[in-house]
């Protein structure tokens, strides 16, 4: 159960593979969360890239939702002001 006035964090990871062609390297995936509240959220996934290749693929999403930080842990948010189709990295301290 979550406290109604504290921020909720959700982390998603996508597991994605193409079972019809094991030699094919699949497109990258992107995941995000929408409509987050204390009882539910919507997990979203899309494939990035041109999607040229036919795909018989399966994707699953692993997630964890939490408030605050575990003992000895830190949570936070880092803003990326500019990014498009290249890799952008930013040091988090």
């Amino acid at each position: 159960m979550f406290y109604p006035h504290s921020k909720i964090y959700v982390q998603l990871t996508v597991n994605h593979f193409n079972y019809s062609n094991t030699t094919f390297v699949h497109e990258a995936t992107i995941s995000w969360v929408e409509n987050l509240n204390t009882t539910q959220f919507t997990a979203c996934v899309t494939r990035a890239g041109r999607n040229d290749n036919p795909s018989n693929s399966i994707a699953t999403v692993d997630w964890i939702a939490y408030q605050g930080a575990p003992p000895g842990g830190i949570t936070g948010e880092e803003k990326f002001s500019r990014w498009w189709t290249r890799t952008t990295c930013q040091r988090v301290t």
Side-chain angles (χ1 to χ4, degrees), residues 71-85:
I74 298 172
T75 62
E77 180 177 281
E78 194 68 26
K79 292 184 181 178
F80 284 72
S81 60
R82 261 184 97 170
W83 67 280
W84 298 101
T85 58

Side-chain angles (χ1 to χ4, degrees), residues 5 13 23-24 30 48 57-58 70 79:
H5 300 295
T13 60
T23 63
F24 175 67
I30 301 166
S57 61
I58 295 174
K79 292 184 181 178

Side-chain angles (χ1 to χ4, degrees), residues 13-75:
T13 60
V14 180
N15 304 298
H16 178 217
F17 66 93
N18 187 329
Y19 63 85
S20 64
N21 182 352
T22 58
T23 63
F24 175 67
V25 177
H26 62 72
E27 305 282 4
T29 57
I30 301 166
S31 60
W32 68 96
V33 173
E34 295 180 353
N35 305 317
L36 173 63
N37 63 46
T38 59
T39 62
Q40 62 188 9
F41 63 89
T42 301
C44 304
V45 178
T46 189
R47 287 191 313 165
R50 299 178 303 185
N51 296 314
D52 300 5
N53 299 303
S55 176
N56 282 334
S57 61
I58 295 174
T60 60
V61 175
D62 296 321
W63 60 271
I64 182 171
Y66 58 95
Q67 284 182 317
I74 298 172
T75 62

